[in-house]
Amino acid sequence: MIDILLLTLLVLCALAAVEMKDLLSAGIVLSAYSLLMAVVWTQLNAVDVAFTEASVGAGITTVLLIAAISRTDRREVFVSRVRREVPSLVLMLLTAAVLVYGTLDMPAFRDPGAPANHHVAPRYVEGSEHEVGVVNMVTAILAAYRGYDTLGETTVIFTAGVSVILLLRRRQRE
Amino acid sequence: MSESIIRRTITRLMVPFIQLFALYVIVHGDSGPGGGFQGGVILGASFILYAIVFGSEAGRKRAPRAVTDILASTGALIYAGIGLLCLLLGSAFLDYRALPFEDPHLAGHYGILGIEIGVGMTVAAVMVTIFFETARRNDEGEVENG
């Protein structure tokens, strides 16, 4: 019941964010979207993901969007061209149909026989506390089993910071 | 700077608690939800909140450009450094059991604590940097109030 309510609100937020012409409001609606998404993750018992969604999606992304809006116009310029809208609608429906078709073969939700629950997952579930020595399984996977990937992610963030400095920072002596 | 005394007072009151919570999230990544990434984002957001309310100049005083630049690279360096340390001690890259602690579980705990702190430093510093470099500054005309 609450799932249906949350999903309905999610769709409403997404539509509102697309339809709004005021970019600041659209950014804030996206923040609400992320907060709802965090509740959905909590419903699925994925607290680590929920935490990330709440802090990154609802928190910092909104602020960075607002910072970007402060550099540009707050109102969206809307140009309506029917000739362009019809092909994009057809393309969007086709893509959606392909995506839905792709989900048909996926195992049922919470299926214990799903491949995702059989490959490396049992090793993580049984071994993480003993092999790594931390009780939070998600942290054990991120920091130990997949530590190399997390190092890559940290480097990506560092690179993003360096790029922003190179592109936007004003030189001291001008 | 924000005109409203309510906004300024609430911010001054909240920022220390937000930062304390951020540090808690960073160091408790191995026993609860969260970790370096989430904690770093919260830590960065606390400085951004301060800058939005008190203006970017006051915010830059609290998080100076030189400090955030150094922290951003130091965090990634700590992460890679712990990996290299494991390699030098004769094990695989980022295999914390090689770290010089008696108990391999303790080694895993401290190794992960180290990389979480590294991730937190980089993420917090980069978020603050992106905000300060992207947002319109006071001397560029109209002040953005958030």
Side-chain angles (χ1 to χ4, degrees):
Chain A
M1 184 60 208
I2 191 157
D3 288 338
I4 303 290
L5 184 71
L6 284 173
L7 289 174
T8 317
L9 282 173
L10 273 179
V11 172
L12 284 179
C13 277
L15 289 175
V18 173
E19 279 304 311
M20 270 178 183
K21 301 289 166 283
D22 183 356
L23 292 175
L24 186 61
S25 312
I28 291 165
V29 168
L30 276 182
S31 167
Y33 175 93
S34 281
L35 204 61
L36 286 168
M37 206 60 214
V39 181
V40 172
W41 293 126
T42 318
Q43 280 286 108
L44 294 169
N45 284 335
V47 265
D48 274 271
V49 186
F51 203 163
T52 315
E53 184 74 47
S55 60
V56 178
I60 208 84
T61 310
T62 315
V63 176
L64 295 183
L65 279 175
I66 290 171
I69 292 169
S70 77
R71 286 250 170 191
T72 163
D73 234 358
R74 197 174 146 175
R75 313 283 309 178
E76 183 181 1
V77 182
F78 186 65
V79 189
S80 174
R81 290 214 185 91
V82 181
R83 307 174 275 166
R84 277 195 198 167
E85 276 175 357
V86 171
S88 26
L89 183 68
V90 173
L91 197 66
M92 192 203 77
L93 286 175
L94 270 176
T95 315
V98 170
L99 287 174
V100 170
Y101 176 73
T103 62
L104 291 180
D105 269 349
M106 277 175 69
F109 186 58
R110 285 177 181 153
D111 179 9
N117 294 334
H118 278 281
H119 181 47
V120 285
R123 166 95 184 261
Y124 293 156
V125 172
E126 285 159 17
S128 67
E129 198 176 341
H130 170 68
E131 286 178 339
V132 185
V134 298
V135 282
N136 185 355
M137 207 187 300
V138 179
T139 302
I141 294 171
L142 287 178
Y145 293 107
R146 291 273 173 268
Y148 203 67
D149 294 4
T150 311
L151 175 60
E153 281 163 24
T154 311
T155 315
V156 166
I157 292 172
F158 174 60
T159 315
V162 171
S163 314
V164 166
I165 290 174
L166 286 176
L167 289 172
L168 296 178
R169 178 169 286 177
R170 291 183 305 177
R171 301 289 177 275
Q172 213 96 73
R173 301 183 199 86
E174 263 186 85
Chain B
M1 180 148 90
S2 170
E3 302 292 310
S4 159
I5 188 169
I6 297 175
R7 257 189 260 172
R8 278 185 281 142
T9 312
I10 294 291
T11 305
R12 215 176 279 146
L13 207 67
M14 290 295 291
V15 163
F17 290 104
I18 297 174
Q19 291 177 338
L20 194 65
F21 179 61
L23 297 179
Y24 171 85
V25 171
I26 292 177
V27 297
H28 281 74
D30 58 347
S31 50
F37 190 75
Q38 292 92 329
V41 165
I42 297 171
L43 189 62
S46 72
F47 285 104
I48 293 173
L49 172 66
Y50 189 88
I52 286 175
V53 174
F54 290 94
S56 59
E57 260 171 53
R60 255 316 187 197
K61 235 173 240 166
R62 298 290 162 137
R65 181 187 277 188
V67 173
T68 52
D69 284 3
I70 290 169
L71 281 182
S73 40
T74 311
L77 194 69
I78 288 176
Y79 198 142
I82 289 175
L84 278 178
L85 191 66
C86 298
L87 207 63
L88 290 175
L89 290 168
S91 191
F93 189 71
L94 286 172
D95 185 359
Y96 310 113
R97 284 170 295 186
L99 294 173
F101 295 100
E102 310 97 67
D103 187 6
H105 284 190
L106 205 63
H109 174 76
Y110 282 120
I112 288 178
L113 183 66
I115 67 153
E116 298 281 16
I117 290 172
V119 172
M121 279 163 72
T122 297
V123 170
V126 168
M127 292 306 152
V128 170
T129 305
I130 293 179
F131 176 78
F132 278 117
E133 301 300 337
T134 315
R136 186 204 295 265
R137 266 157 290 226
N138 293 351
D139 54 355
E140 292 180 350
E142 187 198 343
V143 183
E144 186 61 39
N145 238 334

